[in-house]
Amino acid sequence: QVQLQESGPGLVKPSGTLTLRCAVSGGSISSSNWWTWVRQPPGKGLEWIGEIYDSGTTNYKPSLKSRVTMSVDKLKNQFSLKLKSVTAADTAVYYCARLFWSGQISWFDLWGQGALVTVSS
Amino acid sequence: SYDLTQPPSVSVSPGQTATITCTGDKLGEKSASWYQQKPGQSPVLVIYQDYKRPSEIPERFSGSNSGNTATLTISGTQPMDEADYYCHAWDSSSLYIFGTGTKVNVL
């Protein structure tokens, strides 16, 4: 059974860089899936951040594109998120999730437990 | 940008039917999925490709999508179904969009 687990600092200073990793266990990251990051500010809804394929191909939410970088490490079976120049508005629970996408059909079928990241000095 | 709008809350008595709507321009021409999120937990996929249900999801959850509205229906609602529900669709310009979310209260 495939599982996802986020890890990373829970506190980041304003203007700093948020870095999170998502470990894939029970299966291979090279399994013809897209791997994504979704965040949820406290008390608010879900926001898609970006996706990465095991080949390294990425797509990012247009409004975050200038600050986001995603990467994949096949040897460690994990993928990562970097969000630079963070502000308090980036405080959220960050989820990694597995995405199925095919010709405009998509769904997120597996989610990590989430990692709360607070941006504060 | 493409937006998906949901009612903020829906209230239902135990055993009754809860109906949650998700509205977007020509949403029926897209594929919708639905997620259940209980407090402090991660979202869980309950409906994909408009009406399909993962094997572990109870049959009381069903979905449809037509025109500008996708609908999640919970038949015979149970207290354990109290949660936030989010719809999702893919759009060529906005990519992956989530709805505004609906809190289902089982009273």
Side-chain angles (χ1 to χ4, degrees):
Chain A
Q1 180 176 351
V2 180
Q3 293 183 319
L4 306 178
Q5 178 68 61
E6 305 89 347
S7 63
L11 182 65
V12 180
K13 288 183 167 44
S15 76
T17 297
L18 178 160
T19 301
L20 291 171
R21 292 177 176 78
C22 181
V24 180
S25 60
S28 174
I29 200 169
S30 301
S31 55
S32 302
N33 285 291
W34 287 88
W35 304 94
T36 73
W37 290 95
V38 175
R39 69 181 180 179
Q40 185 172 37
K44 297 188 178 181
L46 302 170
E47 178 185 27
W48 175 75
I49 300 170
E51 63 180 352
I52 187 165
Y53 202 69
D54 64 357
S55 63
T57 299
T58 56
N59 292 297
Y60 304 132
K61 180 173 182 174
S63 61
L64 296 173
K65 189 174 183 178
S66 63
R67 299 196 292 132
V68 173
T69 303
M70 294 178 63
S71 61
V72 64
D73 186 333
K74 295 183 184 180
L75 292 179
K76 293 184 177 180
N77 217 36
Q78 66 182 29
F79 60 103
S80 300
L81 167 71
K82 288 185 184 293
L83 180 66
K84 65 181 182 181
S85 305
V86 297
T87 69
D90 294 309
T91 294
V93 175
Y94 285 76
Y95 296 100
C96 56
R98 186 175 66 185
L99 170 73
F100 173 88
W101 184 92
S102 177
Q104 301 188 34
I105 298 173
S106 63
W107 61 84
F108 302 83
D109 67 340
L110 182 66
W111 297 70
Q113 65 180 33
L116 173 62
V117 179
T118 302
V119 178
S120 175
S121 55
Chain B
S1 65
Y2 191 84
D3 297 315
L4 294 173
T5 301
Q6 300 178 232
S9 65
V10 167
S11 294
V12 60
S13 300
Q16 298 305 301
T17 298
T19 301
I20 307 162
T21 57
C22 174
T23 303
D25 185 47
K26 298 180 181 178
L27 180 55
E29 297 179 10
K30 306 180 186 297
S31 175
S33 57
W34 290 90
Y35 303 84
Q36 176 193 68
Q37 186 180 34
K38 296 182 179 180
Q41 297 184 20
S42 307
V44 172
L45 176 69
V46 294
I47 293 290
Y48 65 100
Q49 224 168 326
D50 296 335
Y51 63 91
K52 296 180 179 180
R53 192 179 60 251
S55 58
E56 65 273 20
I57 300 302
E59 291 184 7
R60 62 180 180 274
F61 288 88
S62 62
S64 63
N65 187 13
S66 179
N68 294 323
T69 304
T71 302
L72 174 68
T73 303
I74 311 173
S75 304
T77 306
Q78 299 187 7
M80 69 173 66
D81 300 329
E82 186 162 282
D84 294 328
Y85 292 83
Y86 294 91
C87 59
H88 155 71
W90 183 88
D91 174 76
S92 59
S93 60
S94 301
L95 301 183
Y96 303 94
I97 313 109
F98 288 98
T100 50
T102 299
K103 181 174 179 56
V104 171
N105 298 298
V106 183
L107 304 174

